[in-house]
Amino acid sequence: MVLFDGSGGELHARLDIRGHLAVAVGAQWQEVSREPPLDIVLVQALVSGDKMDWVIQKAVELGATGIIPVQAARSVSRLASERVGKKREHWQQVVIAACEQCGRNRLPFVAPVQSLAAYLAEPQNAARWVLVPGGERLSVIQPAPIHLLIGPEGGWSDEELTLCLRAGSRPVGLGPRVLRTETAGLAALAALQAKAGDF
């Protein structure tokens, strides 16, 4: 079996069952990295139902290095303050399960839920790209970290788009079709990783 602690590398060992105890025997450390060439953080507006779990799971499989959930004006899903912490813990478990499935041994982070305005007010050492219909075609122009902003089911409001642009976000698009929120970020991740030679 393969063990990992989320910080990179992995242990190959045999599982030995001793009563109620499971012990890893003959563990051998291997420096293995399955991280993509691009550092892309998905800034995802909250989506309804189990769609957020699905988006996080697939984003991890496609190489996102982190997920920042944001509350947008048109987000269908609203989290009560007492549920935010539990939801974040749940999403972190989704990340762990996705890493186990796809073989990543470095855990992407899940940030606390915040408003879009609060996220944009934080200084970032990353290029911010906001996905909008009609935006310029996606291209990889630098290896620096990218924060990819994905709107909710109803899209970004005019005020939110203005905020994004004032914060220096670059408007990008995925061609002539308008994709659902749960599809758009994943399609953009896959396209960018493919352009960078990950696939």
Side-chain angles (χ1 to χ4, degrees):
M1 72 177 190
V2 178
L3 305 171
F4 72 102
D5 66 2
S7 61
E10 54 195 36
L11 286 169
H12 293 257
R14 182 175 49 82
L15 189 63
D16 190 9
I17 307 297
R18 300 175 184 169
H20 297 291
L21 196 62
V23 179
V25 178
Q28 293 181 335
W29 176 259
Q30 289 189 349
E31 281 292 337
V32 177
S33 177
R34 295 184 185 89
E35 291 306 294
L38 293 178
D39 180 355
I40 304 175
V41 172
L42 190 66
V43 182
Q44 174 69 54
L46 292 177
V47 293
S48 60
D50 294 334
K51 289 179 187 174
M52 195 72 179
D53 288 11
W54 190 83
V55 168
I56 291 171
Q57 178 188 70
K58 301 309 175 193
V60 169
E61 291 176 20
L62 289 168
T65 55
I67 294 96
I68 301 175
V70 294
Q71 184 71 58
R74 295 178 182 160
S75 289
V76 173
S77 179
R78 302 268 174 202
L79 287 179
S81 57
E82 63 273 7
R83 291 188 56 221
V84 169
K86 287 186 179 182
K87 203 63 172 167
R88 184 181 179 204
E89 289 173 14
H90 168 75
W91 289 332
Q92 195 63 56
Q93 291 305 309
V94 171
V95 166
I96 292 169
C99 283
E100 290 172 351
Q101 190 281 322
C102 72
R104 285 183 74 181
N105 52 32
R106 200 168 286 281
L107 286 180
F109 69 88
V110 179
V113 177
Q114 57 193 293
S115 70
L116 178 66
Y119 160 75
L120 291 171
E122 294 175 3
Q124 296 292 339
N125 184 25
R128 286 177 169 147
W129 294 1
V130 59
L131 210 62
V132 291
E136 65 180 276
R137 293 286 176 114
L138 284 176
S139 62
V140 179
I141 56 171
Q142 80 284 327
I146 298 167
H147 281 203
L148 192 58
L149 286 74
I150 309 299
E153 284 94 341
W156 298 114
S157 70
D158 291 342
E159 294 80 7
E160 287 171 330
L161 270 178
T162 300
L163 272 178
C164 288
L165 297 177
R166 281 186 187 152
S169 302
R170 175 180 160 201
V172 296
L174 289 170
R177 292 165 300 284
V178 177
L179 303 182
R180 292 180 179 271
T181 182
E182 65 270 23
T183 309
L186 303 177
L189 269 168
L192 288 168
Q193 301 290 22
K195 282 176 179 284
D198 192 42
F199 300 143

